[in-house]
Amino acid sequence: MRTTNKNMRLILGSGSPRRRELLAQIGVVADEVRPPDIDETPLKSELPRPYCIRMAREKALAVPAESGDIVLSADTTVALGRRILGKPDTAAEAAEFLLAMSGRRHKVITAVALRCGDRIWEKDVVTTVKMKRLSDEELNAYLATNDWQGKAGAYGIQGPAGALIPWIQGSFTAVVGLPLAETAGLLRAAGYPLHKDMP
């Protein structure tokens, strides 16, 4: 039987402000934020979904925590076919990614891993996203915002790039960086009190 501990500490193994904001939407505030420092290089011939799942798990395992703490980590990967579109280093690389996705559908995979002691709970969500066909003017205007920096696939759907995404099938919050319904389910499974103040 699952026991719920109201004094359970939650450590967010992510430096993403978007993930903190999403957790706040379901009333969850991490007790500490400890971004993990791991090598995020894909393995040779590694496909996007297994890569994303591996990253979330490795991040959760890399965060130091006490035995009763819950560590929550996630990874968001943008995939164009078998190709992983990571975080671009330059505006030129961002432009290359955006032009590759222009007028096409791609997948956004977000994997979540929860660790408490030796136990790990995992879930991954795949969302299909369509990007409109970009004109040179739209591409250059978006690149000028610098919103592509630090974002997988060179865009964040919750920012200026939202105007470039006419259609998605799946979880909007997963595309932002954390699928809330699935994350809430994992927290409940781990015994974390989601509604501490509710009777």
Side-chain angles (χ1 to χ4, degrees), residues 87-94 97 148-149:
K87 296 172 183 173
D89 293 320
T90 63
E93 190 178 20
F97 288 177
W148 54 268
Q149 293 179 347

Side-chain angles (χ1 to χ4, degrees), residues 9-10 17 21 33 48 53 58 60 65 67 78 108 111 116 123-124 126-127 131 140-141 159 162 172 177 185:
R9 295 174 73 252
L10 178 68
E21 289 161 8
V33 177
I53 294 167
E58 286 190 9
S67 60
V78 174
V108 177
C116 185
K123 187 81 180 170
D124 66 283
V126 181
T127 303
M131 186 170 283
N140 291 327
F172 177 83

Side-chain angles (χ1 to χ4, degrees), residues 161-178:
L164 311 177
I165 309 291
W167 180 91
I168 79 163
Q169 182 178 43
S171 168
F172 177 83
T173 56
V175 179
V176 177
L178 199 67

Side-chain angles (χ1 to χ4, degrees), residues 12-151:
L12 179 59
S14 170
S16 164
R18 292 170 294 282
R19 292 197 176 113
R20 286 201 295 276
E21 289 161 8
L22 287 166
L23 283 172
Q25 287 181 26
I26 56 170
V28 174
V29 178
D31 295 288
E32 274 193 60
V33 177
R34 295 181 189 167
D37 182 18
I38 66 166
D39 180 3
E40 297 190 32
T41 309
L43 302 174
K44 192 175 182 346
S45 304
E46 191 170 24
L47 293 174
R49 190 172 177 187
Y51 164 77
C52 188
I53 294 167
R54 180 174 69 85
M55 284 296 98
R57 174 183 276 253
E58 286 190 9
K59 287 177 184 179
L61 290 170
V63 174
E66 299 295 321
S67 60
D69 294 345
I70 291 181
V71 175
L72 169 63
S73 291
D75 186 78
T76 300
T77 297
V78 174
L80 192 61
R82 298 165 66 90
R83 183 182 174 197
I84 295 168
L85 302 183
K87 296 172 183 173
D89 293 320
T90 63
E93 190 178 20
E96 180 202 331
F97 288 177
L98 293 161
L99 288 171
M101 292 184 284
S102 174
R104 297 176 64 186
R105 293 181 183 186
H106 60 274
K107 306 278 188 197
V108 177
I109 306 131
T110 295
V112 183
L114 236 71
R115 176 171 68 88
C116 185
D118 295 331
R119 289 199 64 187
I120 291 189
W121 294 262
E122 295 176 287
K123 187 81 180 170
D124 66 283
V125 175
V126 181
T127 303
T128 303
V129 180
K130 182 172 185 193
M131 186 170 283
K132 74 189 290 285
R133 190 170 295 285
L134 304 177
S135 66
D136 289 346
E137 186 182 6
E138 286 169 322
L139 176 65
N140 291 327
Y142 174 69
L143 291 171
T145 69
N146 287 328
D147 195 63
W148 54 268
Q149 293 179 347
K151 294 189 174 73

